[in-house]
Amino acid sequence: QLRLQESGPGLVKPSETVSLTCTVSGGSIRSTSYYWGWIRQPPGKGLEWIGNIYYNGNTYYNPSLESRVTISIDTSRSQFSLKLRSETVADTAVYFCAALQGTTVTFHHWGQGALVTVSS
Amino acid sequence: ETLLTQSPVTLSVSPGDRATLSCRARPSISHNLAWYQQKPGQAPRLLIFGASTRATGIPARFSGSGSGTEFTLTISSLQSEDFAIYYCQQYNTWPLTFGGGTKVEIK
């Protein structure tokens, strides 16, 4: 069973960068069966897809965030990472990492989520 | 971008009753729809993909139907652990999008 765990700072100032890492265990990050993705959820609100990365480094981003987002992968560490240049407190959210099943592009495995607060 | 509209926003149901949740897509997304359940403080859990295929370990009381623009998630007999928020998600086109959610609460 795949397990994913987010890690990173919980407090960021506006105009700084949200940096999170997701560590994958219980399976190979080099698997061709999965994309590795990030989703966020502002407090009390719905889910927003941020982007995905494949084991070979190919990325897919939400156009609404693309200008501020970079997702990268380090297969030697079984980790993938999110960098989001924060603009306002509106970037405050729980950030989830997830494994997307490759053929259906659905989120089959999730991390527990990491709350990132953007505040001065 | 594909828009998903879920209704109702809140559904009040008694334990043991049937719950029917709707997700409407614009434009059409064929069968490329998934449903998730989210409880407070937890990550979402995949219930259904391909509009009607239950994910591993999901009880048979959860069923999905529909295609094109109209989709339904039915919970045949609500158990206490089913009171939660439910989201639909389309994967027919990029970007991936989610509906706004339906909260199923105890009546």
Side-chain angles (χ1 to χ4, degrees), chain A:
Chain A
Q1 176 78 347
L2 272 178
R3 291 179 297 278
L4 299 97
Q5 178 67 57
E6 305 88 351
S7 58
L11 181 63
V12 175
K13 290 183 169 57
S15 80
E16 294 186 347
T17 298
V18 173
S19 293
L20 293 170
T21 295
C22 183
T23 301
V24 178
S25 60
S28 175
I29 201 169
R30 295 183 181 87
S31 171
T32 58
S33 298
Y34 292 103
Y35 293 94
W36 308 100
W38 291 96
I39 306 95
R40 70 178 182 176
Q41 185 172 39
K45 297 189 177 181
L47 301 164
E48 179 180 33
W49 172 68
I50 299 172
N52 299 343
I53 192 165
Y54 200 43
Y55 78 100
N56 62 3
N58 287 349
T59 51
Y60 306 82
Y61 296 132
N62 191 326
S64 68
L65 297 169
E66 186 167 12
S67 64
R68 302 193 285 133
V69 171
T70 301
I71 298 176
S72 59
I73 191 166
D74 184 342
T75 56
S76 67
R77 294 176 180 265
S78 290
Q79 294 177 333
F80 62 103
S81 298
L82 169 70
K83 291 189 186 301
L84 171 69
R85 191 177 70 254
S86 71
E87 290 185 340
T88 71
V89 298
D91 289 317
T92 294
V94 175
Y95 287 77
F96 296 100
C97 63
L100 295 86
Q101 203 275 342
T103 53
T104 60
V105 202
T106 48
F107 301 92
H108 279 238
H109 306 279
W110 295 70
Q112 64 184 28
L115 174 63
V116 178
T117 302
V118 178
S119 175
S120 54

